[in-house]
DNA sequence: AACCGGATTGGCAGCGCTGCCAAAAGTCGC
DNA sequence: GCGACTTTTGGCAGCGCTGCCAATCCGGTT
């Protein structure tokens, strides 16, 4: 901790060995608590490390070590603007921290080509695993992941085949459950209000499941509005206004997520429309605010943190290859 | 891209060199586009790389290279549950991506000791820079950062001295501006509603600035409620109920952030209290939903993305050592 | 045709660390 | 006090790549 600061050069393991009066291997063994060492050696090394302020160089360690790094995990998420992904990361980092693995992150902006480039970039750090979001990737991305010699975990979506391990829930099933709930409650003129589907494929799968379940009930979507850009309360608010103008007889709206639904709720408050009397609202995600609303939002709670945690378990090889964590429909008071 | 997959071993630069029929140095030079090379060499290398599916090993590259890694940045945030930090990361990754630097993240959970441990762990990857949140750290963390031979950027808070570079805004000033706004609008019985201050030091600084400005106006806080745990709409809602029960004559509430304020707004809606007639609400952060509310929330918008971007510029050495990005008071309709 | 300067190239040491192996130091029983 | 073990230790090669340097090549000169 002292102010030793060899101008350009950082303290190396060799320096520690010299300072402690032992061999390099001994320092290495002591530091990693691997193999046997005498109490005396441990003490001298600890002293030297403290005196010199030694910080091991894992670049070198991983390079010399067995397969690869095994101490980094590459994570690619499509966005950080949507709470879902920070939550995922939260679960991941929480679980990986405990075993000393750090996450290197990449944000693809929902662009498969950027995802591909990021996959290559992250693999060049020889991570222990590559964590992707969703099941849809460029063929080249899949090839990279396969050839990379790393474990691959795809998170969030279980509607389809994965490269290796898959942890999430069925977005289709969420959509279907949401539709069945609305139908059971007697709503018949149901619209969909979402953000860009080309971009958020999982929202598209929910909608597909939703429409399929409506179909089973002999219904079909009574209007739909797709807003450009990412989801946000502002977008939800504006979208609901458009939708109501176009279909004044709507009795329920299924939103692509809670943020959009919150905006819709605000639009209703502003317009003085009673919820769910005049119009019912149904969201997705089960965010914190949903339960705090004057009328708790009807929505589906997704196991975001748990997906992160299970993905961590997966990459440590402690879990099955395919985990469906399900979801929970929250009845709420808006639908 | 083919299915070459030498059982255990990954493709190395040497393999590429052999395949291309050139020397290792040539491959290295071509791949990094550094030094001169003939067109023919470039073509043969590109071919070999494609044929073998070569992914460079940056662990080795960084180890062999000059100073250190210079391709990784270590980022420590206190939490991922609060939008502020994902926004910060968004700005950071966006700007660093362009120059090929990846972020390795650590989440400290607002614990200085964990922060210290994370700093050591991240430094062991020999990052080009270490990005911390706030200005308060363990002395050991500071020593590590100083000795690590890396650029250090402290983000968000400018109220105090930094280790090296500092990018953010003055939380004290935010608090003071908020207080002055409320006072100017005629509110006199103002309470504070926040989450754990021991933990979120920046919220504490805002409160200090707020109280100081109240003092200048001859006022003092008319009640305060500190909720345990992280901020959330639920906590804000419950907190406001407590506060109103205790101080029925309150005319305004300053919240530790917009999430808390949203909960407060919901509490008012539920209780049928008119806002801001009966009670005024003032938040902090300027989140998306604030503008979509039936009455836009009065709050302060903070340049979160921009802080991330500027921090990136800082660590690339393109910026001054201290950047105050200011903030914007949004008058809104709730105070 | 011999020569010259710049462009291009390959060999090789070495970045800091770990794994392997043989040497050295302890331990124990008799 | 001595051999047979077991524990602890240090030397050294080598992980995959880059920087350095000397060798080679090329085109145009004289």
């Amino acid at each position: 901790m002292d102010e030793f600061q060899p101008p350009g050069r950082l303290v190396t393991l060799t320096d520690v060995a010299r300072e402690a009066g032992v061999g390099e291997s001994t320092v290495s063994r002591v530091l990693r608590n691997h193999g046997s060492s005498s109490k005396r050696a441990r003490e001298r090394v600890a002293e030297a490390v403290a005196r010199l302020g030694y910080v091991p160089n894992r670049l070198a360690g991983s390079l010399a070590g067995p397969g690869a790094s095994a101490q980094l995990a590459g994570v690619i998420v499509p966005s950080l603007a949507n709470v879902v992904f920070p939550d995922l990361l939260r679960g991941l980092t929480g679980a990986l921290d405990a075993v000393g693995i750090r996450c290197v992150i990449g944000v693809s902006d929902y662009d498969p080509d950027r995802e591909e480039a990021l996959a290559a970039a992250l693999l060049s750090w020889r991570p222990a695993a590559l964590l992707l979001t969703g099941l849809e990737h460029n063929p080249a991305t899949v090839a990279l992941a396969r050839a990379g010699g790393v474990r691959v975990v795809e998170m969030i979506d279980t509607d389809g085949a994965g490269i290796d391990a898959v942890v999430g829930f069925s977005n289709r099933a969420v959509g279907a459950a949401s539709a069945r709930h609305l139908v059971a409650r007697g709503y018949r003129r149901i619209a969909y209000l979402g953000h860009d589907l080309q971009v958020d494929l999982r929202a598209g799968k929910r909608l597909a499941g939703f429409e399929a379940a409506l179909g089973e009930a002999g219904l079909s979507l009574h209007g739909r509005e797709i807003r450009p850009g990412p989801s946000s309360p502002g977008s939800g608010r504006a979208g609901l206004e458009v939708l109501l103008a176009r279909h004044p007889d709507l009795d329920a709206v299924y939103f692509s997520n809670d943020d959009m639904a919150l905006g819709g709720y605000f639009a209703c408050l502003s317009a003085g429309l009673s919820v769910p009397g005049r119009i019912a609202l149904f969201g997705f995600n089960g965010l914190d605010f949903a339960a705090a609303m004057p009328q708790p939002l009807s929505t589906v709670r997704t196991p975001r943190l748990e997906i992160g945690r299970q993905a961590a378990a997966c990459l440590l090889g402690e879990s099955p290859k395919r985990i469906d964590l399900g979801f929970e429909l929250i009845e709420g008071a808006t639908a």
Side-chain angles (χ1 to χ4, degrees), chain A residues 83-108:
Chain A
V83 235
V84 171
F85 305 109
D87 277 351
L88 216 59
L89 283 176
R90 203 142 61 93
L92 259 177
T93 56
L96 291 180
D97 228 62
V99 292
I101 297 184
R102 308 289 140 212
C103 291
V104 189
I105 62 175
V107 179
S108 72

Side-chain angles (χ1 to χ4, degrees), chain A residues 7-335:
Chain A
R9 223 173 108 284
L10 264 55
V11 182
T12 72
L13 181 141
T14 310
D15 298 327
V16 175
R18 194 183 316 111
E19 178 80 11
V22 301
E24 301 180 26
S25 334
T26 303
V27 177
S28 175
R29 255 167 289 150
V30 168
L31 255 30
R32 285 173 303 141
N33 199 28
H34 178 274
S36 58
S37 55
S38 62
K39 192 180 175 206
R40 180 171 155 289
R42 280 191 294 273
E43 287 169 354
R44 304 201 56 166
V45 169
E47 258 173 54
V49 165
R51 198 153 46 227
L52 263 34
Y54 171 65
V55 175
N57 182 338
R58 287 199 194 237
L59 293 174
S62 299
L63 183 61
S69 149
Q71 311 276 42
L72 288 178
V75 186
I76 304 180
V77 293
S79 155
L80 284 170
N82 184 330
V83 235
V84 171
F85 305 109
D87 277 351
L88 216 59
L89 283 176
R90 203 142 61 93
L92 259 177
T93 56
L96 291 180
D97 228 62
V99 292
I101 297 184
R102 308 289 140 212
C103 291
V104 189
I105 62 175
V107 179
S108 72
D109 283 324
Y110 289 99
D111 176 349
D113 295 335
R114 287 188 54 69
E115 182 187 56
E116 179 183 336
L118 283 168
L122 295 183
L123 283 173
S124 75
W125 291 105
R126 295 289 184 266
L130 188 60
L131 297 148
L132 304 173
T133 315
L135 299 169
E136 287 73 25
H137 318 286
N138 281 357
T141 308
V142 176
L144 266 172
R146 284 235 164 79
V150 298
R151 217 172 294 253
V152 179
V153 184
E154 289 163 284
M155 302 180 290
I156 296 194
D157 193 4
T158 59
D159 294 320
I163 299 174
D164 184 14
V166 176
V167 181
F169 56 87
S170 165
N171 279 277
R172 276 191 71 90
V174 166
S178 305
R180 283 194 279 269
H181 175 82
L182 290 175
V183 171
R185 288 289 170 107
Y187 301 106
R188 291 295 176 269
R189 294 180 302 284
I190 308 173
Y192 174 78
L193 173 46
H195 55 283
D196 199 338
L197 293 175
Q198 304 297 292
V199 147
D200 187 342
L201 299 172
R202 287 168 294 284
K205 291 183 177 183
R206 290 194 295 278
L207 177 55
F210 190 86
E211 295 200 74
L214 278 190
E216 284 167 17
L219 298 173
S220 67
L221 227 41
H222 191 79
R224 93 157 61 189
E225 167 74 6
I226 307 292
R227 312 287 301 176
S231 66
S232 75
S235 175
R237 177 173 180 149
L240 187 56
E241 284 160 2
V242 169
L243 217 41
L244 279 170
R246 203 187 302 143
H247 308 279
D249 59 338
L250 274 182
D251 63 6
V253 178
Y254 179 48
F255 292 84
S256 56
N257 65 32
D258 287 354
D259 287 303
M260 298 293 282
L262 178 63
Y265 183 69
F266 286 154
C268 292
L269 285 180
S270 295
L273 303 177
S274 90
V275 174
R278 166 66 185 80
I279 187 165
L281 310 176
F282 200 97
F284 167 75
N285 260 342
L287 302 188
D288 278 352
F289 65 74
M293 289 165 62
Q295 302 166 69
L297 182 65
S298 299
T299 184
V300 160
R301 180 179 298 134
T302 53
R304 303 180 295 279
L305 249 81
E306 194 57 24
I307 292 176
R309 286 200 203 100
Q310 291 294 329
C314 255
L315 80 82
L316 296 174
E318 298 163 353
S319 295
K321 288 290 186 179
R322 192 176 187 87
I323 305 178
D324 188 329
L325 290 167
F327 54 87
E328 182 192 356
L329 193 145
I330 299 175
E331 301 217 335
T334 64

